[in-house]
Amino acid sequence: MNNKNDNIIVTQSKFLSLVLRHSPQTIGLKLDSGGWAQTDELLACMARSGRRMSLAQLQAVVAGNSKQRFAFSEDGLRIRANQGHSIAVELELMPRLPPAELFHGTATRFLDAIFQQGLTRQSRHHVHLSASVETASAVGRRHGKLALLRVDAARMAADGHVFYQSDNGVWLTDAVPVTYLAKLGS
Ligand code: HQG
């Protein structure tokens, strides 16, 4: 794929994130309680708001998204974001036992608050955690100078904290109290 196509897909993917996670009303779209939009309705709303895309283009955005941010229902009639919502949706995630340790990348300027309050979900539904240091680092760098935290997920789970894994592999939990956090590196 050439760069121009890549850029178009990134732009379309960002816009899909906006409407499927945060602001469906921007294009007059309605999501059901599970966060699903009707695929044909999404395409119609996109067209009406001047962002026409074909079903094939939508399928390419969903399939080509590096983080699998979106998913179609099995019959393809509905589409939703896999995680990251700020609006109320019930994703009906199943609790899962996490790996013994998980990682969270953040910016150094948040560390004081984090070591006072623990990790809290901010504007999202959950705190997002990664199984790998690499992924956590990439997530953290989005915010500024990277700080990496190790989460003692084994002890959290043993203490009754519930974890979920989104369809695209992100680990989710309601909050991470300070006692389970350790800063990595210097
Ligand atoms: C920080 C991307 C102060 C937290 C990524 C983070 C991820 C606190 C920021 C997904 C805090 C929230 C989520 C506290 C947490 N005081 N700051 N008590 N507790 N924070 O973007 O985890 O591109 O909402 O450390 O790949 O960075 O959207 O969360 O720095 O999977 O698909 O508050 O977003 O995916 O930032 O990223 P975010 P996140 P998408």
Side-chain angles (χ1 to χ4, degrees):
M1 205 179 293
N2 63 34
N3 280 341
K4 194 169 165 227
N5 268 344
D6 284 353
N7 287 341
I8 292 172
I9 287 196
V10 168
T11 306
Q12 288 174 330
S13 164
K14 285 192 171 159
F15 191 73
L16 266 191
S17 282
L18 174 76
V19 299
L20 292 178
R21 289 170 164 182
H22 307 299
S23 184
Q25 71 278 9
T26 309
I27 57 167
L29 182 68
K30 286 214 164 62
L31 307 185
D32 73 10
S33 57
W36 294 100
Q38 298 292 325
T39 306
D40 55 0
E41 205 176 306
L42 170 67
L43 292 174
C45 289
M46 300 276 282
R48 270 204 302 277
S49 64
R51 292 182 178 261
R52 180 181 297 278
M53 70 195 292
S54 65
L55 178 58
Q57 281 174 317
L58 181 63
Q59 286 164 341
V61 171
V62 172
N65 192 275
S66 55
K67 286 184 169 175
Q68 295 180 20
R69 292 186 173 92
F70 317 105
F72 285 109
S73 56
E74 258 171 48
D75 58 12
L77 295 179
R78 297 177 303 158
I79 180 171
R80 76 174 178 183
N82 281 327
Q83 37 75 220
H85 300 80
S86 59
I87 49 175
V89 297
E90 189 41 73
L91 295 176
E92 287 169 9
L93 299 164
M94 295 296 288
R96 274 197 76 177
L97 210 56
E101 56 179 23
L102 288 168
F103 302 94
H104 181 85
T106 187
T108 49
R109 69 180 186 285
F110 297 147
L111 284 178
D112 284 351
I114 288 172
F115 277 96
Q116 273 166 26
Q117 304 154 9
L119 287 172
T120 56
R121 59 197 180 83
Q122 310 297 309
S123 64
R124 303 198 189 238
H125 286 195
H126 298 97
V127 171
H128 288 223
L129 303 171
S130 310
S132 83
V133 169
E134 289 72 24
T135 306
S137 302
V139 171
R141 280 195 200 97
R142 292 156 48 247
H143 297 288
K145 189 166 186 298
L146 175 66
L148 266 180
L149 302 173
R150 179 184 172 278
V151 175
D152 190 344
R155 194 156 57 85
M156 276 186 75
D159 291 348
H161 292 269
V162 178
F163 289 81
Y164 308 90
Q165 198 175 24
S166 68
D167 287 348
N168 60 344
V170 177
W171 284 94
L172 307 167
T173 193
D174 287 343
V176 181
V178 178
T179 169
Y180 305 106
L181 288 174
K183 189 169 172 305
L184 286 180
S186 54

